[in-house]
mmCIF file of all heavy atoms in Angstrom:
data_model
loop_
_atom_site.group_PDB
_atom_site.id
_atom_site.type_symbol
_atom_site.label_atom_id
_atom_site.label_comp_id
_atom_site.label_asym_id
_atom_site.label_seq_id
_atom_site.Cartn_x
_atom_site.Cartn_y
_atom_site.Cartn_z
ATOM 1 N N MET A 1 -29.647 -34.597 22.833
ATOM 2 C CA MET A 1 -28.846 -35.187 23.929
ATOM 3 C C MET A 1 -29.685 -35.342 25.180
ATOM 4 O O MET A 1 -29.667 -36.374 25.860
ATOM 5 C CB MET A 1 -27.595 -34.351 24.166
ATOM 6 C CG MET A 1 -26.569 -34.446 23.056
ATOM 7 S SD MET A 1 -25.006 -33.666 23.481
ATOM 8 C CE MET A 1 -24.307 -34.828 24.651
ATOM 9 N N ARG A 2 -30.468 -34.307 25.524
ATOM 10 C CA ARG A 2 -31.279 -34.360 26.734
ATOM 11 C C ARG A 2 -32.338 -35.465 26.594
ATOM 12 O O ARG A 2 -32.627 -36.189 27.557
ATOM 13 C CB ARG A 2 -31.920 -33.026 27.008
ATOM 14 C CG ARG A 2 -30.929 -31.941 27.442
ATOM 15 C CD ARG A 2 -31.623 -30.645 27.871
ATOM 16 N NE ARG A 2 -30.705 -29.688 28.421
ATOM 17 C CZ ARG A 2 -30.334 -29.627 29.674
ATOM 18 N NH1 ARG A 2 -30.852 -30.509 30.546
ATOM 19 N NH2 ARG A 2 -29.512 -28.703 30.068
ATOM 20 N N ARG A 3 -32.928 -35.552 25.414
ATOM 21 C CA ARG A 3 -33.929 -36.559 25.205
ATOM 22 C C ARG A 3 -33.384 -37.973 25.328
ATOM 23 O O ARG A 3 -33.963 -38.856 25.946
ATOM 24 C CB ARG A 3 -34.579 -36.381 23.779
ATOM 25 C CG ARG A 3 -35.663 -37.347 23.475
ATOM 26 C CD ARG A 3 -36.323 -37.029 22.132
ATOM 27 N NE ARG A 3 -35.355 -37.090 21.054
ATOM 28 C CZ ARG A 3 -34.851 -36.051 20.426
ATOM 29 N NH1 ARG A 3 -35.207 -34.800 20.775
ATOM 30 N NH2 ARG A 3 -33.971 -36.168 19.453
ATOM 31 N N THR A 4 -32.187 -38.215 24.707
ATOM 32 C CA THR A 4 -31.548 -39.498 24.776
ATOM 33 C C THR A 4 -31.148 -39.867 26.200
ATOM 34 O O THR A 4 -31.263 -41.027 26.600
ATOM 35 C CB THR A 4 -30.339 -39.525 23.849
ATOM 36 O OG1 THR A 4 -30.766 -39.192 22.527
ATOM 37 C CG2 THR A 4 -29.711 -40.927 23.780
ATOM 38 N N VAL A 5 -30.616 -38.893 26.923
ATOM 39 C CA VAL A 5 -30.209 -39.157 28.326
ATOM 40 C C VAL A 5 -31.436 -39.532 29.138
ATOM 41 O O VAL A 5 -31.390 -40.450 30.011
ATOM 42 C CB VAL A 5 -29.508 -37.925 28.937
ATOM 43 C CG1 VAL A 5 -29.333 -38.084 30.447
ATOM 44 C CG2 VAL A 5 -28.148 -37.716 28.260
ATOM 45 N N ARG A 6 -32.543 -38.839 28.920
ATOM 46 C CA ARG A 6 -33.773 -39.116 29.662
ATOM 47 C C ARG A 6 -34.245 -40.590 29.393
ATOM 48 O O ARG A 6 -34.654 -41.285 30.279
ATOM 49 C CB ARG A 6 -34.881 -38.129 29.293
ATOM 50 C CG ARG A 6 -36.173 -38.327 30.112
ATOM 51 C CD ARG A 6 -37.228 -37.360 29.636
ATOM 52 N NE ARG A 6 -36.866 -35.981 29.970
ATOM 53 C CZ ARG A 6 -37.164 -35.413 31.120
ATOM 54 N NH1 ARG A 6 -37.757 -36.090 32.107
ATOM 55 N NH2 ARG A 6 -36.816 -34.156 31.373
ATOM 56 N N GLN A 7 -34.171 -41.027 28.113
ATOM 57 C CA GLN A 7 -34.576 -42.376 27.758
ATOM 58 C C GLN A 7 -33.717 -43.419 28.497
ATOM 59 O O GLN A 7 -34.186 -44.461 28.986
ATOM 60 C CB GLN A 7 -34.444 -42.599 26.235
ATOM 61 C CG GLN A 7 -35.428 -41.799 25.426
ATOM 62 C CD GLN A 7 -35.130 -41.949 23.901
ATOM 63 O OE1 GLN A 7 -34.187 -42.652 23.490
ATOM 64 N NE2 GLN A 7 -35.938 -41.238 23.073
ATOM 65 N N PHE A 8 -32.440 -43.110 28.597
ATOM 66 C CA PHE A 8 -31.491 -43.996 29.306
ATOM 67 C C PHE A 8 -31.848 -44.064 30.814
ATOM 68 O O PHE A 8 -31.921 -45.129 31.391
ATOM 69 C CB PHE A 8 -30.079 -43.478 29.102
ATOM 70 C CG PHE A 8 -29.056 -44.046 30.074
ATOM 71 C CD1 PHE A 8 -28.682 -45.354 30.013
ATOM 72 C CD2 PHE A 8 -28.420 -43.212 30.981
ATOM 73 C CE1 PHE A 8 -27.739 -45.891 30.859
ATOM 74 C CE2 PHE A 8 -27.460 -43.706 31.857
ATOM 75 C CZ PHE A 8 -27.134 -45.051 31.784
ATOM 76 N N LEU A 9 -32.096 -42.898 31.420
ATOM 77 C CA LEU A 9 -32.365 -42.855 32.837
ATOM 78 C C LEU A 9 -33.670 -43.593 33.187
ATOM 79 O O LEU A 9 -33.785 -44.192 34.250
ATOM 80 C CB LEU A 9 -32.457 -41.400 33.323
ATOM 81 C CG LEU A 9 -31.182 -40.567 33.195
ATOM 82 C CD1 LEU A 9 -31.384 -39.161 33.761
ATOM 83 C CD2 LEU A 9 -30.017 -41.254 33.871
ATOM 84 N N GLU A 10 -34.617 -43.580 32.273
ATOM 85 C CA GLU A 10 -35.880 -44.285 32.515
ATOM 86 C C GLU A 10 -35.682 -45.801 32.551
ATOM 87 O O GLU A 10 -36.473 -46.508 33.189
ATOM 88 C CB GLU A 10 -36.915 -43.926 31.433
ATOM 89 C CG GLU A 10 -37.415 -42.485 31.546
ATOM 90 C CD GLU A 10 -38.264 -42.079 30.323
ATOM 91 O OE1 GLU A 10 -38.333 -42.896 29.347
ATOM 92 O OE2 GLU A 10 -38.865 -41.014 30.386
ATOM 93 N N LYS A 11 -34.630 -46.291 31.916
ATOM 94 C CA LYS A 11 -34.394 -47.702 31.896
ATOM 95 C C LYS A 11 -33.561 -48.199 33.052
ATOM 96 O O LYS A 11 -33.283 -49.415 33.206
ATOM 97 C CB LYS A 11 -33.628 -48.091 30.574
ATOM 98 C CG LYS A 11 -34.500 -47.969 29.316
ATOM 99 C CD LYS A 11 -33.739 -48.383 28.107
ATOM 100 C CE LYS A 11 -34.581 -48.319 26.877
ATOM 101 N NZ LYS A 11 -35.643 -49.356 26.848
ATOM 102 N N LEU A 12 -33.083 -47.262 33.883
ATOM 103 C CA LEU A 12 -32.212 -47.676 35.010
ATOM 104 C C LEU A 12 -32.966 -48.284 36.177
ATOM 105 O O LEU A 12 -32.342 -48.899 37.035
ATOM 106 C CB LEU A 12 -31.461 -46.419 35.558
ATOM 107 C CG LEU A 12 -30.393 -45.855 34.637
ATOM 108 C CD1 LEU A 12 -29.674 -44.676 35.339
ATOM 109 C CD2 LEU A 12 -29.343 -46.931 34.245
ATOM 110 N N ASP A 13 -34.306 -48.167 36.197
ATOM 111 C CA ASP A 13 -35.056 -48.758 37.262
ATOM 112 C C ASP A 13 -34.858 -50.299 37.335
ATOM 113 O O ASP A 13 -35.122 -50.979 36.359
ATOM 114 C CB ASP A 13 -36.539 -48.460 37.086
ATOM 115 C CG ASP A 13 -37.373 -48.907 38.259
ATOM 116 O OD1 ASP A 13 -36.828 -48.980 39.385
ATOM 117 O OD2 ASP A 13 -38.567 -49.248 38.071
ATOM 118 N N GLY A 14 -34.288 -50.746 38.416
ATOM 119 C CA GLY A 14 -34.052 -52.214 38.569
ATOM 120 C C GLY A 14 -32.749 -52.678 37.960
ATOM 121 O O GLY A 14 -32.485 -53.884 38.012
ATOM 122 N N ALA A 15 -31.952 -51.775 37.385
ATOM 123 C CA ALA A 15 -30.698 -52.181 36.779
ATOM 124 C C ALA A 15 -29.624 -52.440 37.812
ATOM 125 O O ALA A 15 -29.606 -51.773 38.874
ATOM 126 C CB ALA A 15 -30.223 -51.148 35.805
ATOM 127 N N ASP A 16 -28.821 -53.469 37.575
ATOM 128 C CA ASP A 16 -27.662 -53.784 38.493
ATOM 129 C C ASP A 16 -26.385 -53.072 38.052
ATOM 130 O O ASP A 16 -25.525 -52.834 38.881
ATOM 131 C CB ASP A 16 -27.437 -55.293 38.481
ATOM 132 C CG ASP A 16 -28.608 -56.052 39.010
ATOM 133 O OD1 ASP A 16 -28.796 -56.064 40.240
ATOM 134 O OD2 ASP A 16 -29.367 -56.641 38.181
ATOM 135 N N MET A 17 -26.315 -52.750 36.774
ATOM 136 C CA MET A 17 -25.117 -52.058 36.233
ATOM 137 C C MET A 17 -25.506 -51.076 35.173
ATOM 138 O O MET A 17 -26.351 -51.352 34.310
ATOM 139 C CB MET A 17 -24.146 -53.085 35.625
ATOM 140 C CG MET A 17 -22.864 -52.474 35.082
ATOM 141 S SD MET A 17 -21.824 -53.665 34.213
ATOM 142 C CE MET A 17 -21.393 -54.760 35.537
ATOM 143 N N ALA A 18 -24.951 -49.876 35.236
ATOM 144 C CA ALA A 18 -25.142 -48.873 34.236
ATOM 145 C C ALA A 18 -23.805 -48.461 33.611
ATOM 146 O O ALA A 18 -22.791 -48.404 34.332
ATOM 147 C CB ALA A 18 -25.821 -47.630 34.837
ATOM 148 N N LEU A 19 -23.822 -48.213 32.319
ATOM 149 C CA LEU A 19 -22.576 -47.824 31.630
ATOM 150 C C LEU A 19 -22.863 -46.612 30.709
ATOM 151 O O LEU A 19 -23.946 -46.614 30.055
ATOM 152 C CB LEU A 19 -22.063 -48.993 30.818
ATOM 153 C CG LEU A 19 -20.700 -48.811 30.098
ATOM 154 C CD1 LEU A 19 -19.965 -50.160 30.029
ATOM 155 C CD2 LEU A 19 -20.864 -48.210 28.704
ATOM 156 N N PHE A 20 -21.985 -45.683 30.685
ATOM 157 C CA PHE A 20 -22.139 -44.486 29.804
ATOM 158 C C PHE A 20 -20.862 -44.311 29.013
ATOM 159 O O PHE A 20 -19.743 -44.270 29.559
ATOM 160 C CB PHE A 20 -22.424 -43.247 30.707
ATOM 161 C CG PHE A 20 -22.449 -41.956 29.928
ATOM 162 C CD1 PHE A 20 -23.023 -41.831 28.687
ATOM 163 C CD2 PHE A 20 -21.842 -40.832 30.450
ATOM 164 C CE1 PHE A 20 -23.024 -40.627 27.978
ATOM 165 C CE2 PHE A 20 -21.823 -39.622 29.809
ATOM 166 C CZ PHE A 20 -22.447 -39.521 28.553
ATOM 167 N N PHE A 21 -21.018 -44.194 27.686
ATOM 168 C CA PHE A 21 -19.875 -43.894 26.800
ATOM 169 C C PHE A 21 -20.184 -42.681 25.988
ATOM 170 O O PHE A 21 -21.296 -42.595 25.366
ATOM 171 C CB PHE A 21 -19.641 -45.091 25.875
ATOM 172 C CG PHE A 21 -18.573 -44.809 24.800
ATOM 173 C CD1 PHE A 21 -17.250 -45.073 25.067
ATOM 174 C CD2 PHE A 21 -18.928 -44.288 23.576
ATOM 175 C CE1 PHE A 21 -16.286 -44.788 24.109
ATOM 176 C CE2 PHE A 21 -17.973 -44.032 22.616
ATOM 177 C CZ PHE A 21 -16.651 -44.292 22.859
ATOM 178 N N TYR A 22 -19.265 -41.715 25.956
ATOM 179 C CA TYR A 22 -19.414 -40.519 25.114
ATOM 180 C C TYR A 22 -18.188 -40.268 24.329
ATOM 181 O O TYR A 22 -17.050 -40.287 24.852
ATOM 182 C CB TYR A 22 -19.734 -39.285 25.983
ATOM 183 C CG TYR A 22 -19.757 -38.009 25.184
ATOM 184 C CD1 TYR A 22 -20.793 -37.746 24.279
ATOM 185 C CD2 TYR A 22 -18.742 -37.090 25.300
ATOM 186 C CE1 TYR A 22 -20.801 -36.575 23.536
ATOM 187 C CE2 TYR A 22 -18.723 -35.903 24.547
ATOM 188 C CZ TYR A 22 -19.752 -35.651 23.668
ATOM 189 O OH TYR A 22 -19.755 -34.515 22.900
ATOM 190 N N ALA A 23 -18.369 -40.035 23.017
ATOM 191 C CA ALA A 23 -17.281 -39.632 22.124
ATOM 192 C C ALA A 23 -17.688 -38.362 21.423
ATOM 193 O O ALA A 23 -18.785 -38.234 20.892
ATOM 194 C CB ALA A 23 -16.979 -40.724 21.126
ATOM 195 N N GLY A 24 -16.771 -37.390 21.432
ATOM 196 C CA GLY A 24 -17.061 -36.116 20.786
ATOM 197 C C GLY A 24 -16.278 -35.010 21.440
ATOM 198 O O GLY A 24 -15.332 -35.280 22.223
ATOM 199 N N HIS A 25 -16.684 -33.756 21.239
ATOM 200 C CA HIS A 25 -15.966 -32.636 21.862
ATOM 201 C C HIS A 25 -16.434 -32.560 23.349
ATOM 202 O O HIS A 25 -17.613 -32.739 23.681
ATOM 203 C CB HIS A 25 -16.296 -31.336 21.176
ATOM 204 C CG HIS A 25 -15.490 -31.089 19.947
ATOM 205 N ND1 HIS A 25 -14.124 -31.323 19.902
ATOM 206 C CD2 HIS A 25 -15.831 -30.633 18.715
ATOM 207 C CE1 HIS A 25 -13.683 -31.022 18.690
ATOM 208 N NE2 HIS A 25 -14.667 -30.612 17.950
ATOM 209 N N GLY A 26 -15.447 -32.273 24.202
ATOM 210 C CA GLY A 26 -15.719 -32.039 25.614
ATOM 211 C C GLY A 26 -14.748 -31.035 26.142
ATOM 212 O O GLY A 26 -13.673 -30.830 25.600
ATOM 213 N N LEU A 27 -15.113 -30.301 27.192
ATOM 214 C CA LEU A 27 -14.233 -29.297 27.776
ATOM 215 C C LEU A 27 -14.542 -29.139 29.243
ATOM 216 O O LEU A 27 -15.596 -29.610 29.725
ATOM 217 C CB LEU A 27 -14.381 -27.973 27.040
ATOM 218 C CG LEU A 27 -15.764 -27.369 26.783
ATOM 219 C CD1 LEU A 27 -16.216 -26.603 28.033
ATOM 220 C CD2 LEU A 27 -15.775 -26.495 25.601
ATOM 221 N N GLN A 28 -13.639 -28.498 29.951
ATOM 222 C CA GLN A 28 -13.842 -28.194 31.359
ATOM 223 C C GLN A 28 -13.718 -26.721 31.619
ATOM 224 O O GLN A 28 -12.881 -26.025 31.039
ATOM 225 C CB GLN A 28 -12.855 -28.954 32.237
ATOM 226 C CG GLN A 28 -11.382 -28.591 32.003
ATOM 227 C CD GLN A 28 -10.473 -28.929 33.172
ATOM 228 O OE1 GLN A 28 -10.703 -28.448 34.267
ATOM 229 N NE2 GLN A 28 -9.495 -29.776 32.902
ATOM 230 N N VAL A 29 -14.600 -26.215 32.446
ATOM 231 C CA VAL A 29 -14.580 -24.808 32.855
ATOM 232 C C VAL A 29 -14.799 -24.766 34.364
ATOM 233 O O VAL A 29 -15.754 -25.352 34.868
ATOM 234 C CB VAL A 29 -15.665 -24.011 32.123
ATOM 235 C CG1 VAL A 29 -15.629 -22.552 32.605
ATOM 236 C CG2 VAL A 29 -15.509 -24.053 30.599
ATOM 237 N N ASN A 30 -13.855 -24.115 35.048
ATOM 238 C CA ASN A 30 -13.922 -24.031 36.529
ATOM 239 C C ASN A 30 -14.054 -25.380 37.164
ATOM 240 O O ASN A 30 -14.742 -25.538 38.164
ATOM 241 C CB ASN A 30 -15.090 -23.135 36.957
ATOM 242 C CG ASN A 30 -14.852 -21.685 36.596
ATOM 243 O OD1 ASN A 30 -13.728 -21.183 36.612
ATOM 244 N ND2 ASN A 30 -15.945 -20.980 36.239
ATOM 245 N N GLY A 31 -13.368 -26.406 36.588
ATOM 246 C CA GLY A 31 -13.365 -27.754 37.154
ATOM 247 C C GLY A 31 -14.587 -28.572 36.849
ATOM 248 O O GLY A 31 -14.660 -29.738 37.231
ATOM 249 N N SER A 32 -15.552 -28.038 36.098
ATOM 250 C CA SER A 32 -16.724 -28.798 35.661
ATOM 251 C C SER A 32 -16.588 -29.245 34.217
ATOM 252 O O SER A 32 -16.049 -28.494 33.389
ATOM 253 C CB SER A 32 -18.023 -27.943 35.811
ATOM 254 O OG SER A 32 -18.243 -27.635 37.178
ATOM 255 N N ASN A 33 -17.021 -30.467 33.929
ATOM 256 C CA ASN A 33 -16.890 -31.030 32.590
ATOM 257 C C ASN A 33 -18.201 -30.959 31.838
ATOM 258 O O ASN A 33 -19.279 -31.177 32.389
ATOM 259 C CB ASN A 33 -16.471 -32.477 32.685
ATOM 260 C CG ASN A 33 -15.094 -32.646 33.300
ATOM 261 O OD1 ASN A 33 -14.128 -32.064 32.853
ATOM 262 N ND2 ASN A 33 -14.985 -33.400 34.385
ATOM 263 N N TYR A 34 -18.092 -30.666 30.541
ATOM 264 C CA TYR A 34 -19.284 -30.546 29.670
ATOM 265 C C TYR A 34 -19.085 -31.348 28.420
ATOM 266 O O TYR A 34 -17.997 -31.415 27.869
ATOM 267 C CB TYR A 34 -19.462 -29.068 29.294
ATOM 268 C CG TYR A 34 -19.814 -28.150 30.445
ATOM 269 C CD1 TYR A 34 -18.768 -27.568 31.230
ATOM 270 C CD2 TYR A 34 -21.115 -27.858 30.805
ATOM 271 C CE1 TYR A 34 -19.057 -26.716 32.280
ATOM 272 C CE2 TYR A 34 -21.447 -27.017 31.849
ATOM 273 C CZ TYR A 34 -20.390 -26.494 32.620
ATOM 274 O OH TYR A 34 -20.679 -25.636 33.658
ATOM 275 N N MET A 35 -20.220 -31.946 27.964
ATOM 276 C CA MET A 35 -20.293 -32.542 26.613
ATOM 277 C C MET A 35 -20.844 -31.475 25.684
ATOM 278 O O MET A 35 -21.720 -30.703 26.084
ATOM 279 C CB MET A 35 -21.217 -33.760 26.617
ATOM 280 C CG MET A 35 -20.701 -34.907 27.490
ATOM 281 S SD MET A 35 -21.869 -36.304 27.558
ATOM 282 C CE MET A 35 -23.125 -35.594 28.635
ATOM 283 N N VAL A 36 -20.339 -31.445 24.452
ATOM 284 C CA VAL A 36 -20.702 -30.399 23.508
ATOM 285 C C VAL A 36 -21.619 -30.968 22.414
ATOM 286 O O VAL A 36 -21.189 -31.827 21.620
ATOM 287 C CB VAL A 36 -19.458 -29.755 22.882
ATOM 288 C CG1 VAL A 36 -19.838 -28.627 21.926
ATOM 289 C CG2 VAL A 36 -18.507 -29.251 23.958
#
């Protein structure tokens, strides 16, 4: 997940629009959200 996110962030240079879609388990703890 960290490797894939990094690849995405490297492509944002010069982008006019960015979109992120995640499907899977997720939860919140103390108001913070996490992907599992």
